[in-house]
């Protein structure tokens, strides 16, 4: 729900503000300021060594948020949803060859990814006006590469070779780095040349409400994301997020009046269907692994108990 809300809030807020990198900076500053106030007892930022090890993840986090917001500024919600459905395809490829990854590919995994790809291709071929969204699509593909790298690096330093930082510590560190980096990126991409003061004064109350909504969603999804990342693979994390996008597509059609070519609509449906197949496949694989491990664990526990009795 937070993911779907974040996409909708970001689209409405970036259209109202007109400055995607400034919006990212406001969101990150909001999270970095609020978390220490409401969760100070759980904050653990680790040692300087931990912070140094985590810094590349934070920089990838900056790139992920920036490319996502710029893409959303130049794309419709529907296009953003459909293109992002390709993220698991890239993630599966990387996870399958990641040294410490135990990702299992089944025939249903391949089927799901094939359905996703066919759906995205169909959408791209038949959707009218998609050429006007080229800049956004380019940034969307950049976002997929950066986002996949960020999730895999994050999981490695949280699960495989963990740093000594709490979830709230990760949130503060990532968002603080991002808030500090955004002014530099605004200079590089020319946003500082825009009339920031004029933009603020011309914002309507509803525009500021969308900005605040996006900040609250960012705070929520940041925490939920870290909690989920400890428990599931990077690919599963991405697909869970993407399945929420059906709500985003519905919002774009009903509220924003986005129109789909019938064949493009079928493509969007196929992309989401592929995501659903993939989720079912991952759940089936996980259950099979659990069923294989539990009996062997039980046998091992019984052997330990017998050994303890013999030692007595």
């Amino acid at each position: 729900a937070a993911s779907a809300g974040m996409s909708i809030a970001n689209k409405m807020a970036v259209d109202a503000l007109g400055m995607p990198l400034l919006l990212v900076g406001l969101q990150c500053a909001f999270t970095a300021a609020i978390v220490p106030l409401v969760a100070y007892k759980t904050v653990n930022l680790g040692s300087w060594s931990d912070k140094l090890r985590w810094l590349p993840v934070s920089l990838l986090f900056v790139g992920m948020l920036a490319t996502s917001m710029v893409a959303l500024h130049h794309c419709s919600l529907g296009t953003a949803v459909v293109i992002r459905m390709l993220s698991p395809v890239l993630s599966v490829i990387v996870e399958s060859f990641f040294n410490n990854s135990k990702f299992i590919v089944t025939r249903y995994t391949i089927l799901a990814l094939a359905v996703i790809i066919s759906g995205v291709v169909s959408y791209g071929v038949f959707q009218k006006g998609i050429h006007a969204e080229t800049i956004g699509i380019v940034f969307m593909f950049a976002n997929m590469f950066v986002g996949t790298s960020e999730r895999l690096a994050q999981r490695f330093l949280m699960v495989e070779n963990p740093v000594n930082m709490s979830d709230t510590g990760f949130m503060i560190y990532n968002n603080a780095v991002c808030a500090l980096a955004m002014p530099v990126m605004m200079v590089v991409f020319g946003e500082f040349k825009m009339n920031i003061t004029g933009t603020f004064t011309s914002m309507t109350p509803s525009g500021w409400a969308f900005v605040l909504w996006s900040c609250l969603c960012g705070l929520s999804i940041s925490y939920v994301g870290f909690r989920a990342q400890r428990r599931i693979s990077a690919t599963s994390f991405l697909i869970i997020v993407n399945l929420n996008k059906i709500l985003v597509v519905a919002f774009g059609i009903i509220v924003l009046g986005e129109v789909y070519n019938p064949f493009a609509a079928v493509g969007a449906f196929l992309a989401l269907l592929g995501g659903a197949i993939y989720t079912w496949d991952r759940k089936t694989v996980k259950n099979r692994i659990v069923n294989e491990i539990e009996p062997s664990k039980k046998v091992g526990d019984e052997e330990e108990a017998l050994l303890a009795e013999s030692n007595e």
Side-chain angles (χ1 to χ4, degrees), residues 105-135:
V105 177
T106 70
R107 63 180 182 274
Y108 294 108
T109 308
I110 298 172
L111 172 64
L113 299 181
V115 172
I116 291 173
I117 293 171
S118 64
V120 173
V121 171
S122 177
Y123 180 89
V125 170
F126 293 106
Q127 180 63 359
K128 294 181 179 179
I130 198 169
H131 297 294
E133 303 177 73
T134 301
I135 294 176

Side-chain angles (χ1 to χ4, degrees), residues 205-216:
S206 61
W208 282 115
F210 285 124
V211 171
L212 178 59
W213 179 21
S214 72
C215 290
L216 292 172

Side-chain angles (χ1 to χ4, degrees), residues 21-22 24-26 62 176-192 196:
L21 298 180
L22 176 60
V24 172
L26 292 174
V62 172
V177 170
C178 187
L180 293 173
M182 277 307 112
V184 177
M185 297 192 70
M186 289 175 66
V187 171
V188 173
F189 287 95
E191 279 196 13
F192 261 127
I196 298 177

